[in-house]
Amino acid sequence: MAGVGRRPRARSQRRPPGPPVRRRGRAPRGARVGARSGARGSCWFSPSAAGSPELVAHLDVTPENVVFRDGSAAALIDFDLARPATRVEELANVLLWWSPWMPDDDREEALRGVDPFERGWMIVEEYGLEAAGRARLVEVSQNVAERSWFSMRRRAETLGGGWARMWDEGVGDKILRRQGWLAENAPALERCVRP
C-alpha cells in the first residue's frame, strides 16, 4: 500500500529491469574490441568481416530452431540472436548448420555423411547470393566461427543458464574444431560457392 496515491514516474524516468543497457557499439568495460594478443579471452569478439547490415537476420537457423511438420519445415523459432546483419552473414549461418560446414562428428545425426560442398553449392544457388557476396562467404564464415567462440564464452560467463550449460558441455571445443575445419577446407569451399 506504500505506493497508493502516488503519481507514477514518467515512462522515460523508469529504470528498465535487468542490467543497464550499453550504448550501441560499445564494448564492456576493460574489453579490447578486435584485440589479438594470442590468449583466448583477450577480447570479447573480433570485428565482423561481413560489412554494413542489410536486413534483420535470425542468425541461429539451427535444426533445433526449425519446427518440422510432416517432414517439411513449418516454422522458425528462437529469435534471441536476431540483429541487423548482412545477407552473407545469414547465409553463413544457414550453411554452418544445413550444409553443414563443420566436422562430420559435430553434425546433427541426420546430417552426418552429407557432402558439405555439394549441399553448400545447392543452398547458395537457391539463396541467389550475388557474386560479390559469394566471394566473401568463406571469409565471413571463418570470421563468424572466430567471433562465436568469444560470444558463446561471454554469454556463458555473464548470462549463465543454457549458455553456461552449452559451454560446460563443450561448445567452445566444437567451435574450435569448426574453425579448423573451415581453414582446412577453405579453398574447396570457395570453389563450391563461386558461380
Side-chain angles (χ1 to χ4, degrees):
M1 297 293 288
V4 173
R6 280 197 196 154
R7 193 172 164 169
R9 292 167 99 182
R11 177 167 277 165
S12 64
Q13 295 175 334
R14 293 184 197 155
R15 184 169 180 256
V21 176
R22 294 189 194 286
R23 287 184 55 182
R24 188 173 172 184
R26 294 226 176 147
R29 186 170 309 206
R32 296 180 310 151
V33 177
R36 308 299 292 150
S37 71
R40 290 269 182 222
S42 61
C43 67
W44 66 285
F45 71 87
S46 60
S48 173
S52 300
E54 304 167 272
L55 56 106
V56 176
H58 186 277
L59 297 173
D60 198 18
V61 186
T62 66
E64 293 84 11
N65 290 339
V66 177
V67 177
F68 288 89
R69 291 195 183 107
D70 300 321
S72 296
L76 183 60
I77 61 171
D78 192 1
F79 287 79
D80 63 328
L81 297 182
R83 65 170 173 79
T86 65
R87 294 180 73 221
V88 174
E89 283 176 291
E90 183 75 321
L91 186 55
N93 176 261
V94 170
L95 289 167
L96 165 64
W97 296 104
W98 297 96
S99 275
W101 283 11
M102 66 179 73
D104 201 55
D105 290 343
D106 289 335
R107 299 175 185 176
E108 296 291 322
E109 190 173 332
L111 293 169
R112 289 193 181 137
V114 167
D115 181 343
F117 308 103
E118 178 69 21
R119 175 80 59 99
W121 177 82
M122 288 188 317
I123 290 172
V124 172
E125 282 294 308
E126 288 302 314
Y127 191 80
L129 192 64
E130 76 289 345
R134 288 174 185 238
R136 295 186 1 252
L137 190 54
V138 175
E139 175 193 5
V140 169
S141 294
Q142 291 175 301
N143 180 252
V144 167
E146 180 180 328
R147 294 171 68 222
S148 69
W149 190 93
F150 293 104
S151 172
M152 290 293 291
R153 188 187 70 175
R154 178 161 174 74
R155 286 183 173 108
E157 291 171 348
T158 60
L159 301 176
W163 299 105
R165 178 189 49 75
M166 287 187 290
W167 191 259
D168 291 344
E169 291 174 354
V171 74
D173 294 332
K174 188 174 181 177
I175 294 168
L176 293 175
R177 289 191 298 272
R178 180 187 337 145
Q179 290 174 2
W181 188 93
L182 287 166
E184 180 181 325
N185 291 285
L189 293 170
E190 287 173 357
R191 284 191 301 273
C192 86
V193 300
R194 294 281 166 92

